[in-house]
Amino acid sequence: MYDIENYYNAKTIEEAVSLLKAHPDARIISGGSDVLIKIREGKMAGTSLVCIRDIPQLKGVKRLESGDISIGAGTTFSHITNDPVIQRYIPALGEAVDQVGGPQVRNIGTIGGNICNGAVSADSAPTVFSLNALLRIEDGEGGRTVPVRDFYLGPGRVDLKQGDVLTHVIIPAKEYQGYHGHYVKYSMRNAMDIATLSCSVVSKVNLQENILEDVRITFGVAAPVPFRCVQTEEALKGKSLCSELYEKAAELVRLEINPRDSWRASREFRLQIGGEIARRALLHTVEQAQKASGMGMSVTQAKTQPGGGQL
């Protein structure tokens, strides 16, 4: 049974904002894969819901004239994974959200809900951080655009006030053009499990100079909020593409992240895994760049290729 006080079905963004302001205790629902579970468990019993599932402006993926990619907050994970714009320009995001739950969850769960839930284990979060995404929030008074790195305030807490509606996730053109990305999720099971630790790497390489021109490394479940390894990033920029680069990345990451002990995994285990998945993700992004240029993988990098098993 679901203990729901009132249910309102908004048809437009403006109506959703008005309903939320008129009913200060109401919560937004779209796919419902998180909210309904909390209601059933009694954590949100008696709440009122404002449904935004049927608002067409919140759905779909568009590449704007500026080159920016706009993703409606109500777009489901399965849509994102299969969208041709995502597949062509930012496939790492499609790969990341394709690791959320099972097919049923991916068919109803939305990227906006995944971000607004504030969970550090959210599969979309590390990649939108590494892509320096912007979040468009409407409030009926002009709204605002917030960098995703400023949106997460703490475990389960995000920068949304009553009456705010996240409408779009925007990936600026300059943040993905010339870059390649890869997401690695480590979990105790291969399916239907949240991340024990996750890492998304986005990099740009200069193959003529054989250097790592730019890199962004973001972890999930390594801190109270998604965590960018800015010190590691700065230390790796401009370095030669060789086996030592990937080992250095693993070493530096282990010094920078601060995972906690939990029943899922110890801090020491997460530190060890963290370095390894960062190394693998960075190597994969460089291989993607080489493949795109037709250069293939160098002998030095081939020696660092992990063998057997998958994280």
Side-chain angles (χ1 to χ4, degrees):
M1 294 293 293
Y2 295 95
D3 184 2
I4 299 171
E5 181 71 19
N6 292 293
Y7 181 88
Y8 308 97
N9 191 33
K11 299 295 185 180
T12 66
I13 295 171
E14 294 75 17
E15 184 181 5
V17 171
S18 296
L19 284 167
L20 288 167
K21 290 185 175 181
H23 305 279
D25 295 329
R27 298 289 297 272
I28 291 177
I29 187 173
S30 184
S33 55
D34 288 317
V35 172
L36 290 179
I37 290 173
K38 291 178 181 178
I39 292 175
R40 187 176 62 188
E41 291 176 344
K43 296 176 182 178
M44 290 173 52
T47 192
S48 294
L49 300 177
V50 173
C51 179
I52 61 172
R53 182 181 56 195
D54 296 329
I55 300 178
Q57 303 103 304
L58 299 182
K59 298 182 179 180
V61 179
K62 295 180 182 178
R63 187 167 184 260
L64 308 178
E65 289 186 9
S66 63
D68 295 355
I69 295 174
S70 177
I71 306 169
T75 308
T76 63
F77 300 125
S78 57
H79 182 127
I80 290 171
T81 298
N82 295 301
D83 188 272
V85 172
I86 299 293
Q87 291 180 343
R88 179 174 179 181
Y89 296 105
I90 47 174
L93 180 58
E95 294 165 0
V97 300
D98 200 41
Q99 298 188 50
V100 176
Q104 299 93 332
V105 172
R106 294 193 293 271
N107 284 337
I108 63 169
T110 64
I111 189 168
N114 203 225
I115 292 172
C116 291
N117 194 36
V120 72
S121 59
D123 287 299
S124 66
T127 301
V128 295
F129 264 67
S130 286
L131 288 168
N132 287 329
L134 303 174
L135 305 180
R136 181 61 191 170
I137 299 167
E138 296 299 339
D139 59 3
E141 300 176 7
R144 66 190 190 279
T145 300
V146 180
V148 69
R149 65 180 178 272
D150 297 332
F151 186 69
Y152 284 74
L153 305 179
R157 297 189 299 114
V158 295
D159 185 19
L160 281 180
K161 305 174 183 64
Q162 190 64 23
D164 285 354
V165 177
L166 172 64
T167 62
H168 294 87
V169 179
I170 301 166
I171 313 298
K174 65 184 179 66
E175 306 295 355
Y176 73 84
Q177 290 176 343
Y179 288 83
H180 293 84
H182 188 55
Y183 175 72
V184 179
K185 174 181 181 177
Y186 180 87
S187 58
M188 296 304 179
R189 297 181 297 169
N190 289 331
M192 298 290 286
D193 200 3
I194 65 173
T196 301
L197 196 71
S198 61
C199 179
S200 183
V201 173
V202 172
S203 76
K204 177 189 284 187
V205 301
N206 185 329
L207 295 175
Q208 300 301 318
E209 300 291 335
N210 197 45
I211 63 171
L212 183 64
E213 189 173 312
D214 191 19
V215 64
R216 306 171 198 143
I217 304 170
T218 308
F219 276 87
V221 207
V225 297
F227 184 79
R228 275 282 295 272
C229 294
V230 292
Q231 295 177 23
T232 301
E233 293 170 2
E234 290 302 315
L236 297 178
K237 291 176 186 177
K239 296 297 188 292
S240 297
L241 302 175
C242 61
S243 59
E244 288 78 9
L245 173 71
Y246 310 112
E247 297 306 323
K248 187 68 173 177
E251 175 187 335
L252 291 174
V253 158
R254 292 186 181 112
L255 294 174
E256 189 169 2
I257 62 175
N258 186 31
R260 65 184 179 91
D261 284 307
S262 76
W263 66 269
R264 289 183 174 273
S266 68
R267 168 183 165 83
E268 290 73 18
F269 181 76
R270 283 191 168 105
L271 286 172
Q272 178 61 31
I273 290 296
E276 178 61 21
I277 63 177
R279 185 186 74 83
R280 295 191 188 192
L282 176 57
L283 172 61
H284 190 82
T285 64
V286 174
E287 290 174 356
Q288 286 180 307
Q290 291 176 324
K291 186 181 294 185
S293 71
M295 292 180 65
M297 184 171 62
S298 73
V299 175
T300 301
Q301 289 164 343
K303 292 180 180 178
T304 70
Q305 184 84 316
Q310 272 196 338
L311 290 174

